[in-house]
Structure formats: C-alpha cells, structure tokens
Amino acid sequence: MLRGAALRVTRPRVAVLSAVHAHPHADTDSIIGVVRGELPTVSHQAVYDSLRVLTAAGLVRRIQPPGSVARYESRVGDNHHHVVCRSCGAIADVDCAVGEAPCLTASDDRGFSIDEAEVIYWGLCPGCSTAQSS
C-alpha cells in the first residue's frame, strides 16, 4: 500500500498503518500504544508524522466528531458516515444514504463545487442504551 502511494516504506509507517487497520476509529494515543507494542522505542512524533503522511496519501482517513479527539480509520474511498454514542463515545460506520437524501444536497452551494457530504448521527450505542433503561 505504501509503495502504491509512492511513499517510502518505514517500520513506523507500516506499524501505524497496521494499527489503524486493526483498530478502526482509534485515537492517536491508542494508535501510539498499539505501535509501541511492536516498536517499543517509536516516538510520539514518528506516529504523528506517519498519520499525517498516511492521511495526505489517502491511505487512512482522519475524522473528528465535535467534542471528540481526532480518530483514524482505514475505510477510505467511499463517502460513508458515522454514528457516535453520546455516552461512551463509541463510533461505528454507516453507509451513505441512497435514494432521496435531502440533507446530502446543499440548498445553496454558495458557488462551491461540492464533492462530498459528511453526516454524523448521534445517539446511544446498544450498551449505553441498555444501561440507561435499567
């Protein structure tokens, strides 16, 4: 994947890319923890730099729901959305709506050439919903 994106293959980049694939929607601190399990001496900066490069190359996607730290995922190349738990912060993927979806078409594009819409659904995950009702 790295070579296909014309990136130099380094141990930190491989470890970061593997961590993002294994832990969708992980935050930077979680990714650092996973990478350090494989490369104990890797620096925070090396992980941050790898995430920046991988994001710029389109190999990972950075998301940041309001009120949350940045998260990273390996699902790229489609216009999917996310559902976020208001209680525990869990995040899950939601495929893009098909058919008539009024919120995905801007009522006034203000001259922009729009190529993507981002939707975040908010609610309670099954675990928090069950805990709250009992």
Side-chain angles (χ1 to χ4, degrees):
M1 290 177 74
L2 292 167
R3 285 188 185 101
L7 294 175
R8 212 174 78 228
V9 177
T10 65
R11 291 184 69 199
R13 287 180 183 172
V14 170
V16 169
L17 190 57
S18 295
V20 172
H21 275 268
H23 304 279
H25 309 121
D27 62 17
T28 308
D29 286 340
S30 299
I31 292 169
I32 289 169
V34 171
V35 170
R36 282 199 170 153
E38 185 178 332
L39 302 172
T41 60
V42 73
S43 69
H44 279 74
Q45 192 60 50
V47 173
Y48 279 103
D49 289 346
S50 295
L51 286 168
R52 182 185 47 76
V53 167
L54 295 171
T55 301
L59 297 178
V60 301
R61 180 178 175 194
R62 180 184 187 274
I63 62 169
Q64 189 167 8
S68 176
V69 297
R71 311 268 183 145
Y72 295 88
E73 64 181 351
S74 58
R75 185 176 171 184
V76 296
D78 68 348
N79 186 22
H80 71 278
H81 308 295
H82 297 94
V83 60
V84 181
C85 180
R86 289 186 188 280
S87 182
C88 71
I91 300 175
D93 291 336
V94 177
D95 288 335
C96 190
V98 293
E100 185 64 29
C103 292
L104 298 181
T105 304
S107 61
D108 180 356
D109 64 18
R110 309 263 187 213
F112 282 69
S113 175
I114 298 173
D115 60 12
E116 182 178 353
E118 183 175 331
V119 175
I120 299 175
Y121 301 95
W122 294 90
L124 294 176
C125 69
C128 291
S129 183
T130 303
Q132 198 171 54
S133 65
S134 53

